[in-house]
Amino acid sequence: MNNQTINIAKYNAKKTVTAALLIISSLLLSGRADAAELETTHSTVSYGELSQALNDQIRANITTKNAGSLTPDQTTDKATGKTRDEIQKLQQATADTSSLMQPMSRSYAPEFSIYNAFTTLYDDFDQDGFYQSFSVVFDADMYSYDGYDSSAVYALLYIRENGGPWIHYYTTDDFFIHSDSDQDEYEVITTFLEGYHPGHYDLLIDLYQVGYPYVVATYSSNDSEALYALPLESNDHDQVYVDTVYIHHGGSLSAWSLALLLLLLAARLSPALSQGVKRQLAPYSKLDK
């Protein structure tokens, strides 16, 4: 084999190695982009019901079902991700343009309040002090001057971190409250699926009377410490370490397998360049450790 043939073979092998390394770089950048996208995607699953209809076993079943759900609230309009200011502006605009969204005609409008609220934390699988599931129970009351002692209501629930904007994470179904009874306490059990890094989060509840477009009562972390600085994180951060191996969802393994196969192919095409391939691969292999 003459020198020209050898040089051509080396040149072609070098092109193959270069192409393989470019593919690896692309895979690495793509993986990092996907990770960043997942980090900024917030998804939750919530379940609401009158608290008296639930017990500890039912609550445990709900959190398990929430964690395995493939239909987050963000896909069903139960959680809009909008700020509280944005939602109230939209409601104001709707009320201004729709005659159907006017206050109910009564001699005296009822008065509403949220008497109290409390929270419970569930599911800290990695035992780092941050929980992926929690429940909030609140007791809404009403007082009427004209004899009506019950009303249909619903609530919008918001969350914020470090004094940031209130972000809508759930809208309850309609439910009835009766005067100042404590038998109509409403409970919402929520699991953070994705996008919530470990942190301390505050809660806010806005109560609405069905058929009326404005908030009739509000209760938040300013009213009770039970809604203040909850240690929460999403399921993608609540993973378990086993023998120093991190259990994590994702497809990064398949990407690395493909990259290594390409490099092995390149090395076999030119054994003379195999040492060069190893030297070029070294910086990338460190990323896998």
Side-chain angles (χ1 to χ4, degrees), residues 8-206:
I8 292 174
K10 288 182 178 181
Y11 174 74
N12 289 334
K14 186 175 181 180
K15 285 177 62 179
T16 303
V17 172
T18 301
L21 292 177
L22 287 173
I23 291 173
I24 292 174
S25 299
S26 176
L27 288 169
L28 288 172
L29 292 174
S30 175
R32 291 172 182 172
D34 290 343
E37 182 180 350
L38 287 173
E39 187 66 21
T40 56
T41 299
H42 294 76
S43 61
T44 60
V45 174
S46 298
Y47 176 86
E49 179 66 89
L50 290 178
S51 191
Q52 65 177 354
L54 305 175
N55 57 39
D56 290 344
Q57 184 58 58
I58 293 175
R59 292 181 179 94
N61 293 341
I62 290 171
T63 59
T64 299
K65 184 177 180 180
N66 283 355
S69 176
L70 299 178
T71 310
D73 295 332
Q74 285 72 16
T75 65
T76 60
D77 291 331
K78 280 291 190 178
T80 64
K82 296 182 183 299
T83 68
R84 187 170 182 246
D85 288 342
E86 289 173 334
I87 287 179
Q88 291 187 351
K89 286 178 181 178
L90 288 173
Q91 291 172 329
Q92 178 67 55
T94 301
D96 291 343
T97 58
S98 174
S99 59
L100 296 178
M101 297 294 289
Q102 298 304 315
M104 294 179 178
S105 58
R106 287 186 181 177
S107 301
Y108 299 97
E111 294 182 2
F112 294 86
S113 66
I114 296 178
Y115 177 70
N116 64 11
F118 63 90
T119 54
T120 305
L121 304 174
Y122 305 98
D123 298 341
D124 175 21
F125 294 120
D126 60 5
Q127 298 184 354
D128 62 352
F130 294 91
Y131 296 78
Q132 63 171 282
S133 297
F134 66 98
S135 71
V136 55
V137 179
F138 60 95
D139 180 16
D141 293 336
M142 66 166 292
Y143 179 80
S144 174
Y145 295 91
D146 56 5
Y148 289 93
D149 62 354
S150 65
S151 178
V153 297
Y154 64 96
L156 270 62
L157 276 60
Y158 296 86
I159 193 165
R160 73 176 179 184
E161 183 185 15
N162 297 329
W166 291 109
I167 304 299
H168 174 231
Y169 77 90
Y170 189 65
T171 298
T172 72
D173 294 333
D174 297 348
F175 62 100
F176 277 90
I177 60 173
H178 306 278
S179 188
D180 59 354
S181 171
D182 60 2
Q183 299 301 303
D184 52 17
E185 289 183 339
Y186 198 85
E187 183 166 355
V188 177
I189 301 173
T190 299
T191 297
F192 287 169
L193 296 181
E194 242 177 19
Y196 290 88
H197 61 79
H200 292 86
Y201 298 84
D202 302 336
L203 301 181
L204 179 146
I205 305 163
D206 274 344

Side-chain angles (χ1 to χ4, degrees), residues 181-252:
S181 171
D182 60 2
Q183 299 301 303
D184 52 17
E185 289 183 339
Y186 198 85
E187 183 166 355
V188 177
I189 301 173
T190 299
T191 297
F192 287 169
L193 296 181
E194 242 177 19
Y196 290 88
H197 61 79
H200 292 86
Y201 298 84
D202 302 336
L203 301 181
L204 179 146
I205 305 163
D206 274 344
L207 186 72
Y208 290 80
Q209 183 183 20
V210 173
Y212 187 73
Y214 304 105
V215 176
V216 295
T218 296
Y219 200 83
S220 74
S221 53
N222 292 330
D223 302 295
S224 172
E225 291 186 359
L227 305 185
Y228 174 73
L230 276 65
L232 302 172
E233 65 183 358
S234 49
N235 178 274
D236 55 336
H237 288 283
D238 191 23
Q239 306 296 330
V240 181
Y241 290 87
V242 180
D243 294 333
T244 72
V245 176
Y246 184 51
I247 300 174
H248 185 69
H249 302 293
S252 59

Side-chain angles (χ1 to χ4, degrees), residues 243-266:
D243 294 333
T244 72
V245 176
Y246 184 51
I247 300 174
H248 185 69
H249 302 293
S252 59
L253 178 61
S254 60
W256 275 107
S257 299
L258 177 60
L260 291 175
L261 286 174
L262 289 171
L263 283 172
L264 289 174
L265 176 61

